[in-house]
Structures are given as C-alpha cells and as structure tokens.
Amino acid sequence: MYQPNMTVENILIGESVYIVGHKKPDVDAIVSAYAYQVYRHARGDFNYIAVRCDEPNVVTEWVFKETGFNMPRLVEDVSGKKIVLVDHTDPEQRPNGWEKAEIIEVMDHHKLKLETSIPPKITIRPYGSTTTLVANKLLQTNVTIRPEFAQLMLSAILDDTLALRSPITTHIDKKVAGELSAISGISDVDDYAKKLFNKKDVWSKMSAEKIINTDIKSFEMGGVKMTITQAETMDNRKLSKRVPELQKALEKHAKAEKLELAILMLTDLLREDAIVICAGEKAGDLERIFGVQLEKDGSLIIPGMLSRKKQMVPPLVRFYGEVKE
C-alpha cells in the first residue's frame, strides 16, 4: 500500500487537503484519518493527506509499529489549509489554527458541533468508532485490503468500543470488526483485544499530571466548565492507592484552567466499573448525579461505567443542562 510522506504541495495532485483528528488523539482519531486517506487515494484523490495535530498515545504507537505502517506526520497548525475533520467537530478539540483553515468535510461518530459555515460534505453515523464508518466504506468498494491494514483498522474499532462491549457499540461495529478480523487472520478477537488493552496499562509509570492530560476532553454544560479524563485499565484497583495524589493534581488542574468541575475516570475493562475522582467547586454534585456515596479516599466507584460518551456525559447534561455548542 502506497504511503506518501508529503511535506510540500505537489503540482501534479493539486492543493493538499489535510485529514486530521482531535487533540490528545486516541487510536481511532489517527487510524480513521489514515484509513480515510486510503479511501480517497483509491478514488484518485491523492491530494488528501492524513496528519495528526498532537502526539500519539502509547497504544497508537504500538498499533502502527505492530502493523508496519508509518504514523501520519505531525502538523501542529492548520492555518490556511483545507481540512477534513475526523472523529470530532468540537472546537475545543480541533487542531490549532482551525479558525484560519477551511473545513471542507466532516467524518465523525459524535454529535455535530459546527458554529462556522457548514462544509459541503458531512458524514456522521452513531457507530462505536469513526474507523468503523471509514472501514465500512472501504469494504463496500473494490479496494483490496491487506491483512496488516485490516488489523490496523480492527485495532481502532476494538480500542474505541472496548472490545465491542461498550454501550456505544452497534451491530455495524460488530459486522465490520468481523470482516476485518477475517481479512487480518486474527481469529481470536478477544485474545487480541487483551493484548491491545495491556498496552494501555502504563498508568503506574506516569505522573498524576500526565494521566489527567492523556485522554482529556473539555465541555461546558449549562454554564459549568469542566473536563473529563478517561484512563482505561485492566485493573483500576492498582491505581486506587494513588487517589490522593491524583486528587491533588486534579485540584491543581481545575484551578489552573478555571474549571468548576474536573473528572478523572479510572475505567476497569475487566470489572466493567470506574473509580471516579473529581475536583472543583461542583465536585460534590457527583454523589447526587450518580447516586453513589464517596469512598473513604474521596473517590466514587460507579458499577457498569465504561463509556465517557454514553454513560458519564448524559447524566451530567441532565443535571447541568445542554452542552454549549
């Protein structure tokens, strides 16, 4: 599969269009951009180039190394460029310089948040991952998908849907994952998912500040400014002894960012629950919102809590009000 490494405009293919995911990118943000590049190239649109606007996490690095593909290059500012947003539309998550860029297309599985002029093409599906959306398009074409590329896309889908167990998972995610597993030769998807998720458990080696900022998203609900961080682990109880340290770092983060609420979800992929730490003047609201009592260390344990999008955000919206667009 052709892997371009273009750093300048090419007169033969025209002005470059950057395909870019969100800040603090996860596997889905980078892989969906790369997969959409492959899709556009298959249609002859060689000016579409996948890039990333931030550093990848360790799981993304492992997936690209494992499958033998080059990581999309880093573009920290997209000013003056034509861009395709993948896996996000929220202004808080867009790449630097987006205000001076031209958004020509959106590919996403989240709620649409566009306050600027609407791009000519928007594709949003309520799937578990944006990679599912792109992979489904590729599977419906005559493109030959190499096993390594199928594995790359399968990894992103499994990562975003927590091995197809998250509440955000749809039958389309399962169907596409099944086709990709067959192409990739990965017969035991559960075993591969465990291998993938084991790469997530790097939290014990990270500082509290880095944990808070690794997979963080900003929201404003009913005038309440907040951030929600999700750290997915195979055993969140190993991190429970760090709750005081994480609480202190979260308080510092809330104060520095002038937030009324900062939340850290320590999600356990095996127990299927979350240890939730909160900071800010609205932190006390979480007991009422989720109907659970604080533990002795000040954290909350919420059974069945796996998804930030489907399980953490909706109760907060019901309590505080709609997310500001």
Side-chain angles (χ1 to χ4, degrees):
M1 185 178 296
Y2 174 55
Q3 299 187 65
N5 184 23
M6 300 177 183
T7 57
V8 295
E9 310 303 343
N10 190 326
I11 195 171
L12 296 177
I13 61 174
E15 181 182 3
S16 291
V17 175
Y18 289 162
I19 311 166
V20 60
H22 52 76
K23 292 180 179 178
K24 305 295 181 185
D26 55 8
V27 186
D28 190 37
I30 295 182
V31 171
S32 62
Y34 188 92
Y36 195 52
Q37 170 189 283
V38 172
Y39 175 79
R40 295 306 299 232
H41 286 197
R43 294 166 57 91
D45 302 323
F46 295 105
N47 56 323
Y48 280 70
I49 309 298
V51 299
R52 55 186 171 87
C53 65
D54 212 337
E55 294 303 326
N57 61 28
V58 291
V59 184
T60 308
E61 288 181 332
W62 178 81
V63 166
F64 272 87
K65 184 176 180 181
E66 181 77 3
T67 54
F69 291 98
N70 296 327
M71 183 80 66
R73 67 185 179 90
L74 177 65
V75 175
E76 296 182 290
D77 193 300
V78 295
S79 298
K81 301 295 182 182
K82 290 183 178 179
I83 60 174
V84 176
L85 298 181
V86 296
D87 199 35
H88 76 295
T89 56
D90 194 324
E92 296 288 337
Q93 299 173 32
R94 294 177 198 168
N96 294 334
W98 70 266
E99 302 94 335
K100 298 179 181 179
E102 181 184 355
I103 302 172
I104 65 169
E105 189 174 354
V106 166
M107 298 280 291
D108 195 13
H109 70 127
H110 301 95
K111 183 178 179 181
L112 182 67
K113 294 182 182 179
L114 284 173
E115 71 298 316
T116 54
S117 58
I118 302 300
K121 189 171 184 181
I122 298 175
T123 307
I124 293 181
R125 298 289 184 273
Y127 301 155
S129 77
T130 303
T131 300
T132 296
L133 194 165
V134 182
N136 198 36
K137 291 171 73 72
L138 278 165
L139 288 166
Q140 292 173 6
T141 68
N142 293 321
V143 176
T144 299
I145 298 176
R146 284 171 40 190
E148 297 87 351
F149 185 44
Q151 181 182 345
L152 184 75
M153 293 190 289
L154 175 63
S155 300
I157 295 170
L158 293 177
D159 185 73
D160 233 36
T161 63
L162 304 182
L164 306 175
R165 294 180 306 185
S166 170
I168 66 175
T169 308
T170 68
H171 73 282
I172 298 296
D173 296 292
K174 294 178 180 179
K175 172 181 175 291
V176 171
E179 292 185 56
L180 294 176
S181 67
I183 296 170
S184 66
I186 297 174
S187 56
D188 192 333
V189 174
D190 284 338
D191 185 65
Y192 179 71
K194 288 178 183 177
K195 185 178 180 182
L196 183 71
F197 294 146
N198 276 329
K199 302 299 175 182
K200 289 177 178 288
D201 270 335
V202 295
W203 311 111
S204 61
K205 302 174 185 177
M206 295 169 62
S207 68
E209 291 76 13
K210 190 165 185 180
I211 290 173
I212 290 167
N213 285 286
T214 295
D215 184 5
I216 188 169
K217 292 190 176 181
S218 301
F219 301 89
E220 184 173 339
M221 304 177 190
V224 177
K225 293 183 178 180
M226 68 182 75
T227 59
I228 305 174
T229 298
Q230 184 165 26
E232 295 169 348
T233 81
M234 300 296 281
D235 186 359
N236 59 11
R237 301 315 190 260
K238 288 182 180 179
L239 283 170
S240 61
K241 62 183 179 182
R242 296 186 65 185
V243 167
E245 175 194 359
L246 290 164
Q247 178 77 50
K248 186 177 180 180
L250 205 60
E251 291 282 4
K252 184 178 178 181
H253 163 72
K255 186 176 180 180
E257 300 297 325
K258 296 181 173 58
L259 304 172
E260 291 154 283
L261 183 59
I263 297 171
L264 170 60
M265 300 169 59
L266 305 176
T267 305
D268 193 307
L269 303 176
L270 298 180
R271 288 190 181 90
E272 298 191 10
D273 68 11
I275 296 173
V276 177
I277 305 167
C278 46
E281 63 183 65
K282 299 288 187 181
D285 292 344
L286 264 67
E287 280 189 289
R288 284 190 292 160
I289 293 171
F290 293 99
V292 294
Q293 292 186 332
L294 287 173
E295 299 292 311
K296 291 180 180 179
D297 60 10
S299 66
L300 300 164
I301 296 180
I302 306 180
M305 176 68 71
L306 285 174
S307 171
R308 171 171 48 196
K309 176 183 174 183
K310 289 286 188 179
Q311 294 172 302
M312 175 59 76
V313 171
L316 293 172
V317 169
R318 287 194 293 271
F319 189 84
Y320 292 117
E322 285 297 319
V323 177
K324 182 179 179 181
E325 301 298 334

